[in-house]
């Protein structure tokens, strides 16, 4: 079982910044893609950003130019730098790790970290 642990959420004023981190319990060699999703109260979970093993990135239109996803393969960790926060960014942010280990594919989620943006 692959464990995923997020950290870095908190309460911040609009216009501020946060850096979210997500560490996986497996070697980066087994990881294909890492990503961040978010879910606001009363809304469905939505994709925020993803990054592949080759470094290719994908962002939701609503966060382009403000959010940056990156990964540290040596630490099996993915980061989400969030700048110019808006109240609409308030949500629980979840980390997702996809890969293949011992011949089996996995798709693991963290418990989530709360980001609250005050106006």
């Amino acid at each position: 079982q692959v464990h995923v642990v997020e950290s870095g959420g908190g309460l911040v004023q609009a216009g501020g910044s946060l850096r979210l981190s997500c560490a996986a319990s497996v070697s980066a060699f087994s990881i294909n893609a890492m990503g961040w999703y978010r879910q606001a109260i009363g809304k469905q979970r939505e994709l925020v950003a993803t990054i592949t093993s080759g470094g290719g990135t994908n962002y939701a239109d609503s966060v382009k130019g403000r959010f940056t996803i990156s990964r540290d393969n040596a630490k099996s960790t993915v980061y989400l730098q969030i700048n110019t926060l808006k109240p609409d960014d308030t949500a629980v942010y979840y980390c997702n790790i996809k890969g293949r280990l011992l011949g089996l594919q996995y798709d693991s989620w963290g418990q989530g970290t709360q980001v609250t943006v005050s106006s």
Side-chain angles (χ1 to χ4, degrees):
Q1 185 176 1
V2 176
H3 296 282
V4 179
V5 179
E6 305 103 333
S7 62
L11 173 63
V12 64
Q13 288 187 331
S17 298
L18 281 174
R19 189 192 195 204
L20 307 183
S21 299
C22 168
S25 65
V26 291
S27 166
F29 290 109
S30 81
I31 299 173
N32 293 329
M34 311 175 86
W36 290 95
Y37 294 72
R38 67 185 181 185
Q39 187 168 16
I41 295 175
K43 296 186 178 180
Q44 291 188 330
R45 190 173 298 188
E46 63 177 1
L47 179 146
V48 175
T50 59
I51 185 167
T52 67
S53 57
T57 57
N58 181 50
Y59 295 91
D61 288 341
S62 59
V63 307
K64 285 180 180 177
R66 299 188 298 121
F67 290 19
T68 303
I69 190 169
S70 61
R71 59 191 285 172
D72 183 338
N73 289 331
K75 298 180 180 179
S76 298
T77 298
V78 61
Y79 304 98
L80 186 69
Q81 178 67 41
I82 309 175
N83 297 326
T84 319
L85 277 158
K86 304 176 180 180
D88 285 349
D89 295 320
T90 295
V92 178
Y93 284 69
Y94 296 92
C95 179
N96 176 254
I97 307 291
K98 293 182 174 64
R100 192 173 184 88
L101 184 65
L102 300 177
L104 297 175
Q105 290 185 331
Y106 61 84
D107 185 346
S108 298
W109 293 86
Q111 293 298 309
T113 185
Q114 177 71 47
V115 172
T116 303
V117 184
S118 63
S119 58

